[in-house]
Amino acid sequence: MSWPTVRVGDIARLNYGKALKADARQPGKVQVFGSGGVVGSHDSALVDGKSIIVGRKGSIGSIWYTEASSWAIDTAYYIDESSSQADLKWLYWTLKSLRLGEMNKSAAIPGLNRDDVYRLAIPLPPLPEQRRIVAILDQADALLSRRRTSIAAVEALNSQLIDNLLDQVSETRRLGDLAELITKGATPTTLGFAFSESGIPLVRVQNLVRGRVDTTVDAKFIDHRTHDALGRSKIRPGDVLISIAGTVGRAALVRNSDPEMNCNQAVAIVRLTDHLDPAWLAAWLNSRRGQTAMNGSAVTATISNLSLGSIANLRVPMPTARRLDEFRTVISRSETARRSLTVSANHLDTLFASLQHRAFRGEL
């Protein structure tokens, strides 16, 4: 199917949002959007009716859609029904396919220039075809969302079961007495090294996700020479990683399947002796009790920091053999369910990407 090619600027106008500081917002039900999504609420709207919000500063190129009246602040653009000749939901899916996040024009603060967006070429199907594409993509997205919701439900149930187990353990020991190493990494550039395009993943706070290390999130790499120079912060399977600056208290267990990694100065490495299961430690750190213990040790100033000494002084519950067996059973069952759901979600992600590609080429 052949459709005419147009520029984004031919069919849409990106309007600047308007500043609305948190202390100026009044209680209300109108969602306030920034570049990263909803940042609060207000009692009046800047944009009436449905709109697309596009990240301009910060989370550049992020795309959000709302059916309700809203307020877009000055870190975002918005496109409302008066600003486009196209079906807005179709335009939303089209913009999401254009990878606007790669169009950064500012080295210091990420920024998206709307003139660059206007120059992008896209195929323009007739309005009825736009709506047919929207119906197909919305249905596929709803299925994917349900799968992600199922994964979140499994993780929530797992957390509740683990919290219950942890609450039944009263004996504690000082973490420093159970560890052979508690250290942290460094930022390579402060030591005269540079990042590389590929190589060894450098773990940062954002890579500690729901008890795991996800090196695909905002990936950074160092070469093998830098990795060897930063030998003390080489990460091994069985290590427990903790975020200690900015967002304090995220914990992740390094698994055998994880790649060789290093970390920066905002991530601590805890390497245990054989007196404690690292999976138990990671679970406790992410539990209510562990979070309370860590946040009580954080130094609150402009930014929160958790010192290595504070980590060493944490009192960790020591499970009996029976409790540890119960814990491992819960973890095993949860992992099996989560793995199955994740494989399904990843498969749906791939199918959805293919569906988007075909939709905008007129192949549906």
Side-chain angles (χ1 to χ4, degrees):
M1 190 179 300
S2 179
W3 298 326
T5 298
V6 299
R7 305 287 179 182
V8 171
D10 295 333
I11 63 167
R13 182 179 71 252
L14 277 71
N15 305 286
Y16 286 103
K18 185 177 180 181
L20 183 65
K21 294 184 177 180
D23 57 7
R25 298 169 197 164
Q26 300 299 317
K29 297 182 179 180
V30 175
Q31 289 185 318
V32 178
F33 283 86
S35 63
V38 176
V39 295
S41 60
H42 192 45
D43 64 350
S44 62
L46 175 68
V47 187
D48 291 326
K50 63 181 72 171
S51 65
I52 301 167
I53 293 89
V54 180
R56 183 175 75 87
K57 292 287 186 182
S59 300
I60 73 161
S62 57
I63 314 289
W64 309 90
Y65 177 83
T66 178
E67 294 277 349
S69 297
S70 61
W71 190 296
I73 63 173
D74 54 348
T75 61
Y77 299 114
Y78 68 88
I79 305 170
D80 59 9
E81 290 184 290
S82 68
S83 307
S84 178
Q85 305 167 25
D87 181 275
L88 271 194
K89 195 63 180 291
W90 172 84
L91 183 59
Y92 161 78
W93 286 121
T94 301
L95 291 174
K96 282 183 75 71
S97 74
L98 294 178
R99 305 175 74 171
L100 301 185
E102 298 178 3
M103 301 179 70
N104 180 23
K105 286 293 184 181
S106 172
I109 301 175
L112 179 67
N113 187 321
R114 62 180 176 177
D115 290 333
D116 292 334
V117 180
Y118 288 158
R119 285 190 284 268
L120 295 174
I122 57 172
L124 180 65
L127 198 57
E129 185 66 13
Q130 292 177 26
R131 290 169 178 158
R132 189 179 77 88
I133 290 170
V134 166
I136 294 170
L137 294 180
D138 278 355
Q139 186 176 9
D141 185 55
L143 180 61
L144 186 55
S145 294
R146 285 197 293 272
R147 188 68 73 233
R148 288 172 178 152
T149 299
S150 296
I151 293 173
V154 167
E155 291 176 341
L157 177 60
N158 178 53
S159 295
Q160 184 178 353
L161 291 172
I162 289 173
D163 277 349
N164 290 340
L165 279 173
L166 292 167
D167 287 342
Q168 297 173 41
V169 178
S170 57
E171 181 189 351
T172 64
R173 286 186 62 183
R174 180 177 173 272
L175 181 54
D177 297 332
L178 301 166
E180 67 174 69
L181 176 69
I182 299 178
T183 189
K184 64 179 180 178
T187 297
T189 52
T190 63
L191 301 176
F193 299 102
F195 294 111
S196 61
E197 292 296 320
S198 60
I200 305 296
L202 186 76
V203 177
R204 295 165 296 151
V205 171
Q206 54 264 54
N207 300 119
L208 308 185
V209 182
R210 296 190 298 276
R212 301 166 182 275
V213 183
D214 186 349
T215 57
T216 67
V217 177
D218 192 18
K220 291 282 188 182
F221 300 95
I222 56 176
D223 59 27
H224 283 80
R225 183 176 69 89
T226 304
H227 183 51
D228 288 338
L230 304 176
R232 186 169 177 81
S233 52
K234 285 184 176 181
I235 295 169
R236 301 179 190 173
D239 286 348
V240 176
L241 308 182
I242 307 171
S243 62
I244 59 173
T247 303
V248 167
R250 293 187 185 180
L253 174 66
V254 180
R255 290 164 167 78
N256 291 327
S257 57
D258 287 328
E260 192 172 6
M261 300 179 289
N262 212 299
C263 64
N264 74 356
Q265 79 285 355
V267 176
I269 302 170
V270 179
R271 188 166 300 149
L272 296 170
T273 63
D274 57 5
H275 291 96
L276 184 64
D277 186 327
W280 175 273
L281 174 62
W284 177 75
L285 290 169
N286 284 319
S287 72
R288 295 187 307 270
R289 289 169 62 186
Q291 290 292 299
T292 299
M294 283 190 288
N295 284 296
S297 299
V299 177
T300 303
T302 306
I303 190 169
S304 293
N305 290 276
L306 186 64
S307 71
L308 299 182
S310 296
I311 292 174
N313 286 326
L314 291 172
R315 302 292 303 187
V316 182
M318 297 297 294
T320 61
R322 177 188 169 192
R323 289 285 179 241
L324 192 56
D325 284 344
E326 291 174 352
F327 167 78
R328 287 170 175 163
T329 298
V330 169
I331 290 293
S332 176
R333 290 174 178 171
S334 172
E335 285 293 315
T336 299
R338 187 184 185 282
R339 192 179 303 114
S340 174
L341 289 168
T342 300
V343 168
S344 175
N346 290 341
H347 180 61
L348 287 172
D349 266 328
T350 302
L351 289 177
F352 187 72
S354 173
L355 198 60
Q356 278 186 296
H357 181 70
R358 291 167 54 203
F360 299 124
R361 291 181 53 150
E363 297 174 358
L364 285 182

